[in-house]
Amino acid sequence: MGIIRSSWQAFGRWRKRRPFWGATFLLLSSLVILWIPMQLYEISLVPGSMVFAGFFLGGMVMLMGILSYAMPRLSTLLGIIGMFSAILSIMGALGGFLVGTILGIIGGALCIAWRPQWAEADAPAAHHEAAADKEPSAAID
């Protein structure tokens, strides 16, 4: 029981340091967006087919979700790119019947809105959000 509890607590600490729900919604969105091009893979090599764009944009949304887990400091940029890719996927994959687009917009918005939790008890004062937001002239007083 102790191993399960410590593993769950370690996962909770890992999750709090990342835009977990935003990245999870981006990954779900990419799976829904990629479902349509996967069903139409026979015609994906036909000239003039937009199925390739669906693969590309679905893959971009998936990449942004994975990178949001790996690089949480870039979550704002990754959320913007993921949201735009999900919106543009309407052209190539019908946006996963718009469900994938909506999930991508929600995931991108959550990644953009996420802010790291710097204010821990053992963290230096320079890393606190309140200290980082102050102007240098106000901190020297």
Side-chain angles (χ1 to χ4, degrees), residues 29-99:
S29 168
S30 69
L31 294 176
V32 172
I33 290 170
L34 284 172
W35 183 75
I36 291 175
M38 292 298 286
Q39 301 302 316
L40 302 173
Y41 70 92
E42 293 98 7
I43 63 169
S44 64
L45 298 178
V46 175
S49 174
M50 292 295 289
V51 174
F52 178 73
F55 280 121
F56 176 72
L57 292 169
M60 283 291 293
V61 175
M62 181 178 285
L63 182 65
M64 295 307 117
I66 292 169
L67 288 177
S68 293
Y69 285 132
M71 295 186 282
R73 289 185 182 249
L74 298 175
S75 66
T76 302
L77 176 65
L78 297 172
I80 291 169
I81 295 171
M83 189 184 300
F84 282 141
S85 297
I87 292 170
L88 289 175
S89 72
I90 293 172
M91 294 185 328
L94 297 176
F97 295 124
L98 295 178
V99 173

Side-chain angles (χ1 to χ4, degrees), residues 77-140:
L77 176 65
L78 297 172
I80 291 169
I81 295 171
M83 189 184 300
F84 282 141
S85 297
I87 292 170
L88 289 175
S89 72
I90 293 172
M91 294 185 328
L94 297 176
F97 295 124
L98 295 178
V99 173
T101 300
I102 292 169
L103 288 173
I105 291 170
I106 292 170
L110 288 173
C111 283
I112 292 168
W114 181 79
R115 295 288 172 249
Q117 300 282 329
W118 296 115
E120 294 183 17
D122 57 346
H127 289 147
H128 289 274
E129 274 190 8
D133 288 341
K134 289 183 183 175
E135 294 182 13
S137 61
I140 296 175

